[in-house]
Every structure is written in structure tokens, then in C-alpha cells.
């Protein structure tokens, strides 16, 4: 644990001595009006206005036995600063690397006192005793009870006295709830002796401080392995404030993403550690440190009502080693490298770029024998090591970043055992019978789709119909056997035709495919397109593709209607069975057999097993008038 250096606060001779404890819970609250927290590399002391009792603060740092006044120039050199809010609360900031900061592995109890200025007297005055509300105490007795009397010699030879009083002393507290004012009273009588005459005299004093009560919001936060949990207890402002999450003001859209909840007295937020408004502070081998900043601002003046800097470590493997000899690594953009573009990161071999990247993360995956990876042997292990870095000049000679930016280097390594013996036992049990599949039945589905272009990669969906096409513009159709991987099955587009209406039996109609071949009576004959295996097509025989040119039905040179529907009868046949005469392939007939139908002859369905025949239709295709 870290112990931060003592800071001595003078309130016109009123002193508060603070010892900050380690930052276990950020922004920890204290009922005494004094609290400490750490935000990144800065420690902050927050003093409630009640401790200042309306006086100007001066700050002194303790360096051993010396008290050093932190003047503006000294504070700038040593990493100290101080600010006050409109309600009289004071915040003092100390860099953990500043002057007079003592980092040790121990803790010191917290001490809180306030000091009363007794007055300035001639050099020949001695303070003998003090009368409190509970009785008269000598200076020695006061010191024994924790009431420390300090004597200060001034430049003109006179003296001043101050009394440090613990906050748990006999202080009378009066509270007026109607006016929201708190008053503090401390009745004192100082017994003084004038030397050398030793003439006694008494000085009665009633110390009083009245403070207007302003209850500010209180924020707290915790983390689990994936998320930040933030809660805010409203103060006297209620919910009348602006919430700034990271760099952005909280909006309704952000609130929905961050699980915002409010019940009139409290609000809560739940944010993932990868939220856009969080920042990464540090990446380790097993975790990433992420921080979220939350400010509550007064709507009228943008005064800071409360703030929270919540930082936690979240599980994240920066490097993973796989048994197949590949490595994966993650690099993140931390707060100290604001200008870093993860996409510009490379391995030692600058041609090895991220497999994936965005504005915060770069992900690498590579084989251990590539990308400049080095190999080292020691003991019974073999280590592969590489480095994620940002080169100031990439392979093309273009500068990625300025040399003044922080250098980014992240070492990644994997360890493999060189010699290892494993024993695996197994036994075999003979089968008493050979397994056989039972004959079953099922329903195979066929679909027909209209492709947007000859590549047959993008298809019109149901919501896209009716589809608009120009006259003689090609229509690319695909008929597919669904949910089957049997290579012995083949789909044949047996008959296809177009109608004016959705009813497949309606007239007029025009043949597109007749007995699995193009209609030779059509001056714009149907074209069949080959189908080959690719990432989508596993069994080419399950798919048939053909195209026709867009047309419409006319009578006496008048367009009957500017739309058509295309229908097909498809047959599923078994190529492994020679008895299945329907499985000759698309547009394959015995020699000498004609496959064209005389003009005007009505289509008739081939006598085929109905269990293997499917009827499919397209949606409406409209002729464009442009």
C-alpha cells in the first residue's frame, strides 16, 4: 500500500492534518467532511466547507520536521494545486510523483483537528490555563487530552497562540432545519499571566461558525469482470444536473445503452468496460485496466457538483498460444497514446498487419514461423517471441506518427514443451452386428429465386417484390433443392412458363422451358447457366440456373398488363438408379426425339411420380415504363 505525504492546511491559523489512506474504493466518502481519492496518478483531498469555517486556506507540505508553504510557484514546480467550488468546498490535488510525497509500504491513522486562533500578545505574556465548557485545564492537561497549544514567535518579538481541538471534543452543534443552517459553538475562557508582575487576567471567547447547508450528490461505483456499476444519491439539487460520461453529456440514446435507471432519489448506470466513453489505462498479460469518468454539473453555471473516476482491472488475455503453432495477440489503445491508430500497428515484419482492427483494438493471428518471430531454447522449453510495434515509417515510406508521440511496443511470447511423453490407453470391443440405416421418408423442398445479376450472389427477397425490370432486360432465375447433401439426387427444371396473373393455370401463358429444354418457338430463347461448387454451392446437381429476357403480353400491339409471373415444375430424380428415366439431366433427350411443342398446344404435365415433383412460382415482375 502507498502512504502519501502529509499535507498541512492552515485556516488563518486553523489547522487540518490529513493522512490519506490507499485508494481501495475510489472517491471514498467520509462523514467528517474530509475525504481522499486517487484518479490515475493524482491524489485528491476534498474538504467540506464546514471545515474551512469561511476562512482562506493556506497549504503547507511536511518534509520531515519542516513545514513548507506551497506558494503558487512552488506548487507548479512540485505537482500541487488547489481549487474551490461555489459552495465553499475545497479540493487539493497532489501528484504521486510530486515533491514531499513519501511512498512507503505502511499506513498511518487519519488525524483530524481544527485550530482556534487565541490572539497575539506581547512577548512577556505566558498562557497558563484554559477554561472549557467542561472545566478548567492547564496547558499541560490540555496537551494530555489531545488539545494541543502551539506558541508562535513573531518577527516583532510578540507571541501568538493557537489551540488545536479534536473534532470529537465538547463542541456544541445546533441545527435549524427550516433555514438549512448549521451552527458550531465552542465557549472558551483563556487564563493568561502577565510577566514579570505575574498579574492574571481572563479572556472569555465564544467561538461560533454558521454554515448554509448544501447537500451535494454522492457517487459510488464498483466493477465485476465485465462492467462498471455506478450509483448516484441525489443531494439538495435533486436530479437537476447534467451528467457527463467520459467526454460526452449523457443523452437519452446513451442512457438506453448504459442501462440508465432513476427512482427520484437515486440513479444508476451499468457500462461495459469496452464502452465508447471509457478509456484504457494499462494492458497487462492477463487483464486490461479501464476507467470511466463521471461528472455532475450544475445546469445554470456548469459548476461541478460531484465527480467519480472509477478504474478497475478486467480479464483479458493479451496473448494466446495454440497447439497448432499459431499465436494470437491483442493490442489496445491506452490513454497515454491518444494519437495511436491501431490499424497502423505491425509485428516485427511490417508486412504482418492486424487481422482485425478498429479505433481502439488491433487483433493479430499468425504462425510462429512467420512475421519475424524468433525462437529460443532453454531447459525443456522453446520460446517464440515477437513484438507489436508502431514504425515511424511504414513499408511505403509514409510516416505513421510523430517521433514526439510515446513509443508503442508490446512484447508477445509463447512457450512450448520440447520433449513430452503422454500415455493414452484404449480398448476395442467387437460388434455383434453391423449397423444399418432404416429406410425412411421425408419431404424435400425446392425454391426458386430471382438473382440481381449474373453472379447469382445477391437475390431479391420476398419484401422486394414486385421487382421492376426494363423490356428485354435479362431475368436470372435459380431453382434449388433445399436441405439435402445427397450427391445422388439431381434437380431438373422440367417445365417453366410465364402468366399474366398469379394463378399458374391462368391464360394467356408463354412457355420458357419445355420438357427440360428451352422453347425453340421463342425468338429470345432461354439460356441455361452452368453451376459449379463454391462456398455456397455444395452439390451443383441440386441447383439449376437459367435466364430469359423481360417481356410482356400484348394483343393487337396493345400491352395487356405490365407484369408477369414465372412458374416451374421441378423434378427430383435419383442418378444412382438406372430405372429412373427422368434423370437424363437438364435438356438431355434420346437421339431423334424432339423437345419443342407446336405453337398453340397447351402444356401437359409429364406422367411423373408426384412425390418427386415440385411446383414453384416467382413473385410479380413489373415492366418499367421508363
Amino acid at each position: 500500500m502507498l502512504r502519501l505525504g502529509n499535507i498541512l492546511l492552515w485556516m488563518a491559523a486553523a489547522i487540518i492534518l490529513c493522512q490519506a489512506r490507499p485508494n481501495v474504493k475510489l472517491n471514498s466518502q467520509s462523514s467528517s467532511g474530509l475525504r481522499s481519492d486517487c484518479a490515475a496518478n493524482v491524489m485528491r483531498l476534498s474538504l467540506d466547507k464546514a471545515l474551512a469555517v469561511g476562512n482562506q486556506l493556506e497549504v503547507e507540505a511536511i518534509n520531515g520536521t519542516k513545514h513548507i508553504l506551497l506558494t503558487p510557484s512552488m506548487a507548479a514546480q512540485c505537482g500541487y494545486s488547489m481549487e474551490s467550488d461555489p459552495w465553499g468546498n475545497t479540493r487539493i490535488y497532489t501528484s504521486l510523483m510530486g515533491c514531499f510525497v513519501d511512498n512507503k509500504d505502511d499506513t498511518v491513522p487519519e488525524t483530524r483537528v481544527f485550530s482556534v486562533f487565541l490572539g497575539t500578545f506581547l512577548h512577556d505574556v505566558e498562557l497558563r490555563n484554559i477554561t472549557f465548557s467542561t472545566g478548567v485545564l492547564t496547558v499541560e492537561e490540555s496537551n494530555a487530552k489531545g488539545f494541543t497549544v502551539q506558541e508562535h514567535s513573531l518577527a516583532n518579538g510578540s507571541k501568538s497562540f493557537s489551540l488545536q481541538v479534536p473534532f470529537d471534543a465538547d463542541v456544541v452543534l445546533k441545527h435549524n432545519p427550516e433555514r438549512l443552517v448549521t451552527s458550531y459553538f465552542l465557549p472558551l475562557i483563556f487564563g493568561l499571566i502577565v510577566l514579570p508582575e505575574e498579574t492574571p487576567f481572563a479572556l472569555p471567547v465564544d467561538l461560533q461558525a454558521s454554515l448554509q447547508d448544501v447537500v451535494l450528490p454522492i457517487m459510488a461505483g464498483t466493477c465485476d469482470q465485465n462492467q462498471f456499476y455506478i450509483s448516484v444519491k441525489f443531494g439538495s439539487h435533486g436530479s437537476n444536473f447534467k451528467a457527463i460520461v467520459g467526454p460526452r453529456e449523457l443523452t437519452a440514446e446513451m442512457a438506453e445503452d448504459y442501462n440508465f435507471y432513476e427512482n427520484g432519489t437515486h440513479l444508476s448506470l451499468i457500462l461495459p468496460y469496452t464502452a465508447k466513453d471509457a478509456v484504457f489505462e494499462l494492458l497487462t498479460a492477463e487483464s486490461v485496466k479501464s476507467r470511466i469518468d463521471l461528472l455532475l454539473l450544475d445546469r445554470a453555471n456548469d459548476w461541478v457538483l460531484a465527480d467519480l473516476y472509477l478504474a478497475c482491472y478486467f480479464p483479458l488475455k493479451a496473448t494466446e498460444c495454440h497447439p497448432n503453432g499459431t499465436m494470437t495477440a491483442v493490442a489496445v489503445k491506452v490513454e497515454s497514446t491518444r494519437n495511436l491508430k491501431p490499424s497502423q500497428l505491425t509485428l516485427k515484419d511490417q508486412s504482418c498487419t492486424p487481422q482485425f482492427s478498429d479505433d481502439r483494438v488491433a487483433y493479430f493471428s499468425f504462425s510462429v514461423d512467420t512475421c519475424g518471430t524468433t525462437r529460443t531454447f532453454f531447459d525443456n522449453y522453446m520460446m517464440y517471441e515477437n513484438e507489436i510495434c508502431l514504425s515511424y515509417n511504414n513499408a511505403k515510406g509514409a510516416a505513421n506518427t510523430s517521433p514526439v508521440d510515446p513509443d508503442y511496443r508490446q512484447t508477445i511470447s509463447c512457450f512450448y514443451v520440447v520433449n513430452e511423453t503422454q500415455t493414452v490407453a484404449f480398448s476395442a470391443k467387437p460388434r455383434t452386428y453391423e449397423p444399418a440405416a432404416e429406410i425412411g421418408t421425408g419431404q424435400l423442398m425446392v425454391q426458386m429465386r430471382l438473382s440481381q445479376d449474373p453472379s447469382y450472389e445477391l437475390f431479391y427477397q420476398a419484401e422486394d417484390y414486385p421487382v421492376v425490370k426494363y423490356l428485354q432486360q435479362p431475368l436470372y432465375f435459380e431453382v434449388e433443392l433445399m436441405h439435402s447433401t445427397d450427391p445422388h439426387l439431381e434437380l431438373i427444371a422440367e417445365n417453366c412458363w410465364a402468366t399474366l396473373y398469379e394463378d399458374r393455370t391462368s391464360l394467356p401463358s408463354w412457355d420458357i422451358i419445355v420438357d427440360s429444354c428451352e422453347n425453340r418457338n421463342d425468338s429470345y430463347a432461354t439460356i441455361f447457366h452452368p453451376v459449379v461448387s463454391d462456398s455456397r454451392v455444395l452439390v451443383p446437381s441440386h441447383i439449376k440456373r437459367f435466364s430469359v429476357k423481360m417481356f410482356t403480353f400484348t394483343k393487337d400491339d396493345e400491352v395487356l398488363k405490365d407484369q408477369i409471373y414465372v412458374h416451374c415444375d421441378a423434378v427430383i430424380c435419383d442418378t444412382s438408379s438406372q430405372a429412373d428415366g427422368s434423370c437424363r439431366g437438364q435438356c438431355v433427350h434420346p437421339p431423334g426425339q424432339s423437345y419443342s411443342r407446336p405453337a398453340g398446344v397447351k402444356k401437359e404435365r409429364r406422367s411423373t411420380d408426384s412425390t418427386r415433383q415440385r411446383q414453384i412460382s416467382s413473385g410479380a415482375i413489373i415492366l418499367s415504363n421508363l
Side-chain angles (χ1 to χ4, degrees):
M1 297 183 177
L2 294 177
R3 187 189 69 179
L4 303 177
N6 296 326
I7 295 180
L8 192 64
L9 310 179
W10 284 79
M11 300 182 291
I15 303 172
I16 294 177
L17 185 62
C18 166
Q19 184 72 41
R21 289 193 174 95
N23 185 40
V24 178
K25 286 189 177 180
L26 299 178
N27 210 37
S28 57
Q29 305 293 329
S30 172
S31 59
S32 68
L34 178 67
R35 62 183 181 182
S36 65
D37 60 0
C38 288
N41 61 346
V42 176
M43 186 198 80
R44 177 178 61 181
L45 297 177
S46 300
L47 289 81
D48 186 87
K49 61 179 182 179
L51 300 181
V53 293
N55 295 296
Q56 183 68 32
L57 294 179
E58 290 183 351
V59 180
E60 288 187 351
I62 298 178
N63 185 17
T65 58
K66 297 180 180 179
H67 290 188
I68 302 174
L69 179 64
L70 292 179
T71 62
S73 59
M74 174 70 75
Q77 295 176 9
C78 290
Y80 294 85
S81 63
M82 182 172 66
E83 66 180 15
S84 298
D85 64 23
W87 301 278
N89 305 304
T90 301
R91 299 183 185 91
I92 300 172
Y93 298 90
T94 306
S95 169
L96 299 183
M97 303 299 294
C99 310
F100 321 119
V101 175
D102 187 15
N103 297 302
K104 294 182 179 179
D105 294 332
D106 61 358
T107 58
V108 177
E110 184 179 13
T111 305
R112 296 185 303 275
V113 299
F114 72 91
S115 184
V116 181
F117 176 62
L118 304 183
T120 301
F121 304 91
L122 298 176
H123 66 279
D124 56 354
V125 173
E126 180 182 358
L127 180 63
R128 290 287 183 88
N129 55 62
I130 305 174
T131 302
F132 296 91
S133 58
T134 55
V136 179
L137 296 178
T138 65
V139 172
E140 291 77 10
E141 292 171 338
S142 299
N143 291 335
K145 286 185 172 291
F147 303 152
T148 304
V149 177
Q150 289 191 345
E151 178 180 322
H152 310 279
S153 298
L154 303 181
N156 59 3
S158 58
K159 299 178 180 180
S160 67
F161 295 96
S162 63
L163 174 67
Q164 295 180 2
V165 183
F167 267 84
D168 57 356
D170 295 323
V171 179
V172 179
L173 173 64
K174 293 184 179 180
H175 185 66
N176 184 344
E178 295 182 358
R179 298 182 58 190
L180 294 177
V181 174
T182 302
S183 298
Y184 297 88
F185 296 87
L186 183 63
L188 299 172
I189 300 177
F190 306 124
L192 301 168
I193 299 294
V194 179
L195 299 178
E197 294 85 356
E198 294 189 358
T199 304
F201 71 93
L203 177 64
V205 174
D206 287 332
L207 182 66
Q208 176 181 350
S210 298
L211 302 174
Q212 184 78 21
D213 289 347
V214 175
V215 181
L216 298 178
I218 297 175
M219 294 195 291
T222 59
C223 307
D224 62 12
Q225 291 195 341
N226 297 293
Q227 300 182 114
F228 296 105
Y229 298 86
I230 298 175
S231 63
V232 178
K233 180 181 179 182
F234 298 158
S236 55
H237 283 73
S239 60
N240 184 30
F241 51 72
K242 292 189 297 186
I244 308 298
V245 182
R248 300 188 297 167
E249 182 176 353
L250 184 65
T251 62
E253 293 77 11
M254 292 170 58
E256 185 175 350
D257 293 338
Y258 293 161
N259 297 285
F260 176 85
Y261 171 76
E262 179 184 350
N263 64 1
T265 61
H266 294 74
L267 68 80
S268 63
L269 294 169
I270 302 176
L271 299 83
Y273 78 92
T274 56
K276 179 180 180 180
D277 299 300
V279 295
F280 296 138
E281 291 188 346
L282 179 67
L283 177 67
T284 68
E286 299 291 334
S287 65
V288 61
K289 186 180 182 182
S290 180
R291 190 187 80 242
I292 189 68
D293 302 338
L294 181 62
L295 293 177
L296 303 184
L297 304 181
D298 178 80
R299 290 191 178 277
N301 304 293
D302 280 346
W303 293 335
V304 177
L305 302 175
D307 54 23
L308 175 69
Y309 305 95
L310 180 59
C312 298
Y313 286 91
F314 298 91
L316 178 67
K317 280 188 173 294
T319 306
E320 291 194 64
C321 310
H322 303 280
N324 64 352
T326 60
M327 296 173 61
T328 58
V330 176
V332 300
K333 178 180 178 179
V334 294
E335 189 178 21
S336 59
T337 57
R338 293 182 179 272
N339 297 326
L340 175 69
K341 294 181 179 179
S343 61
Q344 296 178 343
L345 293 172
T346 69
L347 297 175
K348 285 184 178 178
D349 182 347
Q350 294 183 24
S351 65
C352 294
T353 56
Q355 192 174 71
F356 164 81
S357 65
D358 56 21
D359 60 346
R360 306 181 74 185
V361 174
Y363 175 81
F364 293 85
S365 178
F366 59 98
S367 175
V368 295
D369 58 355
T370 62
C371 298
T373 309
T374 60
R375 182 176 63 179
T376 306
F377 292 91
F378 59 94
D379 296 333
N380 197 38
Y381 292 92
M382 179 170 53
M383 180 182 72
Y384 289 95
E385 189 173 75
N386 208 312
E387 186 178 68
I388 300 175
C389 56
L390 179 66
S391 175
Y392 292 128
N393 292 288
N394 58 26
K396 296 181 180 180
N400 284 333
T401 185
S402 168
V404 301
D405 292 334
D407 195 14
Y408 190 100
R409 297 190 181 276
Q410 178 181 332
T411 301
I412 53 179
S413 56
C414 283
F415 297 85
Y416 293 93
V417 178
V418 176
N419 297 317
E420 184 177 16
T421 301
Q422 294 184 349
T423 303
V424 179
F426 66 93
S427 61
K429 183 178 180 181
R431 291 196 296 244
T432 57
Y433 62 90
E434 291 295 326
E438 295 183 358
I439 297 177
T441 60
Q443 187 72 15
L444 295 175
M445 297 180 61
V446 175
Q447 71 171 1
M448 181 168 67
R449 296 188 294 174
L450 179 61
S451 175
Q452 297 184 22
D453 54 43
S455 68
Y456 287 93
E457 293 181 353
L458 297 175
F459 295 88
Y460 293 104
Q461 305 300 315
E463 60 270 17
D464 298 328
Y465 286 90
V467 173
V468 179
K469 294 290 183 179
Y470 299 104
L471 186 63
Q472 297 189 6
Q473 183 178 0
L475 306 177
Y476 299 96
F477 289 96
E478 178 181 273
V479 183
E480 180 182 7
L481 172 61
M482 306 290 292
H483 313 306
S484 174
T485 58
D486 188 347
H488 299 297
L489 297 182
E490 182 171 1
L491 177 72
I492 304 296
E494 186 180 38
N495 293 303
C496 295
W497 65 98
T499 62
L500 194 59
Y501 303 101
E502 189 174 4
D503 183 359
R504 61 191 286 115
T505 63
S506 63
L507 295 176
S509 66
W510 183 258
D511 289 327
I512 296 174
I513 296 175
V514 179
D515 292 335
S516 79
C517 292
E518 69 272 15
N519 179 8
R520 289 196 170 182
N521 294 323
D522 193 343
S523 58
Y524 299 102
T526 301
I527 299 175
F528 291 98
H529 300 278
V531 180
V532 296
S533 298
D534 57 26
S535 60
R536 184 175 72 86
V537 179
L538 301 180
V539 185
S541 63
H542 290 183
I543 294 178
K544 291 296 181 290
R545 293 170 176 168
F546 62 90
S547 63
V548 295
K549 292 186 177 181
M550 180 63 184
F551 66 93
T552 187
F553 291 93
T554 62
K555 183 177 181 181
D556 299 332
D557 295 330
E558 293 289 336
V559 176
L560 297 179
K561 198 172 184 180
D562 59 353
Q563 69 179 24
I564 63 171
Y565 292 84
V566 176
H567 315 275
C568 284
D569 288 337
V571 176
I572 304 170
C573 65
D574 185 0
T575 59
S576 65
S577 173
Q578 296 182 358
D580 192 347
S582 65
C583 212
R584 294 184 297 268
Q586 190 74 45
C587 197
V588 177
H589 292 274
Q593 180 178 337
S594 173
Y595 55 88
S596 62
R597 181 182 297 120
V601 177
K602 185 179 179 181
K603 298 182 308 296
E604 294 181 357
R605 179 182 300 174
R606 178 189 296 176
S607 57
T608 309
D609 185 356
S610 61
T611 62
R612 292 184 295 161
Q613 190 177 60
R614 300 292 183 268
Q615 297 179 345
I616 46 182
S617 299
S618 73
I621 305 174
I622 296 178
L623 177 66
S624 174
N625 294 323
L626 299 179

